[in-house]
Amino acid sequence: MKKRVFIVATCIGIGLCILLIRLMQVQLASTESFTSRNINLLERSISQRAHIYAIHDGRGGLVDRHNEHLSEEYQPVLLLFPFLRKIDWPVEQVAKIVGVSSKTLTEHVERTKEVVIDDGIELTEEGMKQVNALRIPGVIAVSKKKDISGVAAEHLLGLVGKNSDLLERKYKERMQNGNISFNTLTGISGLQYSFDEFLLSDGEKKLLYHVDRKGDSLFGTKVKYVEPGNPFYPVMVKTTIHKQIQMIGEALLTKYNIQKGGMVLVDVKTNEVLALASKPTLDRNNYKETITNYMLTRQFPGSVFKTVIAAAALEKGRYTSTRTFNCDLDVYGEKGSRALGELSFEDSFAKSCNYTFATLGNELIKRDKNMMEEYAKKLGMEERVGWHGRVFHYDDFRPLEEEDTNVIWHEEKEKHIQKAVAQTAIGQKDVQYTPLAIANMMATIARGGERKEIKVVSDILYKNSMSFYHFEEHHLGGDGLQQSTVKILQQLMKKVTEKGGTAESLNKLPYKVAGKTGTAEIVKDGSNQSVNKWIAGYFPYENPRYALVVVELSSASTGNNPIRIFHDYVQELYKYDQQVRE
């Protein structure tokens, strides 16, 4: 009998020890990351006895150059707490302010045990102030953060989402301090990713009240307002994007049904991105298939790259006004498909003669095997052209983290192969540049050869809109082009848009345009082929303000949508500039 009692007592003791250990784990050790699913027990326990209404998730936002919100908006909403149905409150006064019947508000409260959020009411900022001035318990008007549908520059701004692995790896200390949890949103792509450490939430701004098991208020009509203690946060990242101009560009890409490609518009004077859009449209429900920002991804530039060869030829004595080229020949000096006859250097550029630039490419590289890389850099086409530098504890911070590295050659030995050099000189073979880099080249030429890094963010702002970090303008080091060379390049590019040039349809625009077209062959299979179609240029020619690149990638269509988009964009920008002046 004693032995049995001992065994039973031992089993009960072991069971109690197990329960005690489990209880310690639940209450002390794993309160914020219970089980493999990382359940926050503290949050769950609070949610059982408290109703929470989140006003702001605490994450910083992104604004355009005029401080207009790009990723979010703030909407006045009326909150009606459920305990109102048990007290007398001046429903008529509230109804008069918000412009609905008192019966409507009463029915809203009676229908649910949750906080009524009446988004349907047209509440103004003034109406919000009037409601809150009444100081009615359970009746509150707030400005609520709301994600914008149809975000402008969505690929550039990027996505946010839940990533527990990233949080634990990158923000372990902040998680241990309880500032963030596994439910905190982090940047997945774009500027949201690059600036994640600045934008990361320090806590929600919310309204909270406690309830019993029936959902009735535990502490009368008391509603608690909770927000992080730091009055300077969350911060805002101020981009260089001009929202109105951005929306014009995106509308044109949609109008001309660009399936893959996009556009980049740069302010020539400041070298800041005014608009940047990539297609296909970002599908937030299946973002892995559409998340690529093709304006930061290197592509075959085709004849746009001839601008580099032209610059080198002008400075290395391969250009004379009397020299002509047999443009009935193709890139390899054989009978070609285009019958252009004997053309001068200027006409070869305007009509984009492959034979001319293949010939010049081979002549130049015999003198210096690094000629193409040298002159690409002189034109502002570095390996990466986006702004980079020291920002606080980051030694080499890049706002455009996703920007690809540009390339001309994959193997040194190909510089000694005539056909490889010929293909490279016309922007084929291994030559790949991002549309952003091409835009930088256009802006460099438009500025008279002054080379700069491209900026897409101007400031990081405190909550009160004061700047606590400004991204200074960065000039690129090294030698640039001679002024005489730049002037001739500008004239060559103007000739491309005049009668007989490859972009002559741009000749009668209200702004005079200078530019270069390009068509890069991607796939050739029998009669089917896919090409990249480019138009890159700047305007107005006499006093340059804008550098624009439009590209349609992997296109099989016969038309030239990029030139049509460029044409319409110039017209729209002219109209906009006239309105601003008025």
Side-chain angles (χ1 to χ4, degrees), residues 507-557:
N507 189 32
K508 295 182 179 180
L509 286 166
Y511 280 146
K512 184 66 179 175
V513 175
K516 184 72 187 80
T517 59
T519 304
E521 189 175 292
I522 306 302
V523 178
K524 192 170 184 178
D525 181 17
S527 60
N528 298 320
Q529 70 176 24
S530 177
V531 294
N532 291 344
K533 297 178 180 179
W534 297 77
I535 171 69
Y538 66 88
F539 53 93
Y541 178 74
E542 297 80 8
N543 183 26
R545 294 182 60 193
Y546 304 104
L548 175 61
V549 172
V550 184
V551 59
E552 184 174 21
L553 300 170
S554 304
S555 172
S557 66

Side-chain angles (χ1 to χ4, degrees), residues 316 363-372 374:
K316 296 301 179 182
E363 291 176 2
L364 289 165
I365 212 161
K366 285 177 182 176
R367 296 184 60 178
D368 182 350
K369 67 176 183 177
N370 297 319
M371 187 76 72
M372 294 185 191
E374 177 188 345

Side-chain angles (χ1 to χ4, degrees), residues 212-381:
D212 60 20
R213 66 185 183 88
K214 293 181 180 180
D216 295 326
S217 177
L218 271 176
F219 306 116
T221 58
K222 185 175 181 181
V223 177
K224 185 179 181 181
Y225 175 72
V226 181
E227 72 170 334
N230 194 324
F232 296 105
Y233 288 81
V235 303
M236 306 295 288
V237 172
K238 185 173 182 177
T239 71
T240 61
I241 294 296
H242 189 304
K243 189 174 182 179
Q244 187 174 347
I245 291 174
Q246 171 75 30
M247 298 304 288
I248 293 171
E250 292 186 10
L252 289 173
L253 292 175
T254 301
K255 175 183 176 181
Y256 288 99
N257 196 30
I258 300 298
Q259 298 297 308
K260 184 179 178 182
M263 47 72 53
V264 181
L265 181 71
V266 174
D267 183 307
V268 168
K269 184 178 179 181
T270 63
N271 223 39
E272 296 176 344
V273 174
L274 296 172
L276 186 151
S278 178
K279 289 288 185 177
T281 301
L282 186 58
D283 182 353
R284 293 172 182 269
N285 296 319
N286 185 26
Y287 66 84
K288 290 183 179 179
E289 300 296 324
T290 58
I291 201 170
T292 301
N293 186 345
Y294 287 106
M295 299 305 95
L296 305 181
T297 307
R298 63 189 183 215
Q299 313 291 340
F300 295 106
S303 294
V304 175
F305 189 73
K306 290 174 183 174
T307 310
V308 175
I309 305 303
L314 288 167
E315 290 203 347
K316 296 301 179 182
R318 307 315 300 170
Y319 159 74
T320 62
S321 58
T322 57
R323 185 180 181 184
T324 61
F325 302 85
N326 182 2
C327 289
D328 287 342
L329 303 179
D330 66 11
V331 66
Y332 302 127
E334 301 170 356
K335 185 173 177 57
S337 58
R338 299 174 70 195
L340 298 174
E342 288 285 331
L343 295 180
S344 66
F345 175 74
E346 294 88 343
D347 288 335
S348 293
F349 191 87
K351 296 178 182 294
S352 203
C353 170
N354 285 340
Y355 175 71
T356 299
F357 291 91
T359 302
L360 291 171
N362 271 293
E363 291 176 2
L364 289 165
I365 212 161
K366 285 177 182 176
R367 296 184 60 178
D368 182 350
K369 67 176 183 177
N370 297 319
M371 187 76 72
M372 294 185 191
E373 297 98 304
E374 177 188 345
Y375 277 87
K377 287 185 177 182
K378 283 177 181 287
L379 284 164
M381 294 207 297

